[in-house]
Amino acid sequence: MLDANRSGTATASPRAAATELTVPPTASVPPVRSTGFGARCTRAALSPYARLSVLLALLGAAAGCVLAFEPQRLLTHGWPPQLGGAAAALVFAAAYGLCTVAFVPRPLLNLAAGALFGSQWGLGTALAGTVLGAGVAFGLGRVLGQEALRPLLRGRWLKAADGQLSRHGFRSMLAARLFPGIPFWAANYCAAVSRMGWLPFLLATALGSIPNTAAYAVAGARASAPTSPAFLIAMAAIAVPALVGSVVAWRKRHHLRAR
């Protein structure tokens, strides 16, 4: 309220002035970051390098399990007799995927698929296991390793590979699957560290793995008749892409050195 003094001027009353002075400021207060022991432990456990350590521990444990259980014995001892039909194919596909995550070579698993299930069923189970194993490895690398490893991409070749996978993911992964030379697990984790999407990665893996997987499955199914035309054609289908891939890799390496 305004009070009139003797000179005729209006002045604010003490209550109104106090009200005007107590108006809260509109500026926002920045949140206070928790610095307790539990908060520090949580941040440390979720840090990129902690997750990378978890990934390395998981891969080491998987490799140890492979060395202990020796899945290559499937080629000599055969499949357990209590499993048969579609159930056996599903179990084998799941085991195939887990074995590829644990660095078991795919040619060995493809030969086992053909020897156990024949050409057609062997191809189907091997392809299902291939896509499953690639997806698991890609997910582990993307969640646990990408943030820690991307800052380390400083070399010329590493930057070139990362840019190729990030910009041309589908065709780059398709070429890596069609022409052997790059280990299956290495391609999976390199793609996971890059910015390649899930769908191009899985689709390129499924399509690009068909020729090589089919050749090994047929070779495994016809291994008892090494002079048969089917076995000889399968071996040629394995050798020719390997030779072409070696020549292409050598030319690319020579081209990079010339730059």
Side-chain angles (χ1 to χ4, degrees), residues 20 25 37 58 69 83 88-89 100 106 122 128 133 151 156 158 162 192 226 228 249-250:
E20 293 178 358
F37 178 75
L58 288 175
F69 292 103
L83 286 177
T100 59
R106 283 185 64 248
R156 183 180 63 179
L158 292 177
D162 175 67
S228 63
W250 182 83

Side-chain angles (χ1 to χ4, degrees), residues 127 130-131 134-135 138 169-175 177-178 196-211:
L127 279 178
T130 296
V131 176
F138 186 86
F170 177 80
R171 70 184 188 187
S172 299
M173 188 53 55
L174 185 65
R177 302 306 193 195
L178 285 173
M196 181 187 301
W198 276 88
L199 183 59
F201 172 77
L202 294 177
L203 186 59
T205 296
L207 295 177
S209 300
I210 291 176

Side-chain angles (χ1 to χ4, degrees), residues 116-145:
L116 294 173
F117 301 102
S119 300
Q120 296 180 355
W121 275 95
L123 173 59
T125 55
L127 279 178
T130 296
V131 176
L132 174 63
V136 171
F138 186 86
L140 289 174
R142 179 61 55 89
V143 174
L144 298 177

Side-chain angles (χ1 to χ4, degrees), residues 142-242:
R142 179 61 55 89
V143 174
L144 298 177
Q146 187 187 46
E147 292 185 16
L149 294 177
R150 281 201 66 81
L152 303 179
L153 301 177
R154 298 176 181 177
R156 183 180 63 179
W157 283 29
L158 292 177
K159 288 184 178 179
D162 175 67
Q164 183 71 19
L165 290 172
S166 298
R167 292 191 300 268
H168 310 290
F170 177 80
R171 70 184 188 187
S172 299
M173 188 53 55
L174 185 65
R177 302 306 193 195
L178 285 173
F179 299 105
I182 301 176
F184 184 73
W185 60 268
N188 294 336
Y189 291 112
C190 287
V193 175
S194 72
R195 303 192 186 280
M196 181 187 301
W198 276 88
L199 183 59
F201 172 77
L202 294 177
L203 186 59
T205 296
L207 295 177
S209 300
I210 291 176
N212 186 262
T213 304
Y216 275 102
V218 172
R222 302 300 179 92
S224 58
T227 57
S228 63
F231 182 83
L232 295 177
I233 292 174
M235 294 305 296
I238 294 171
V240 171

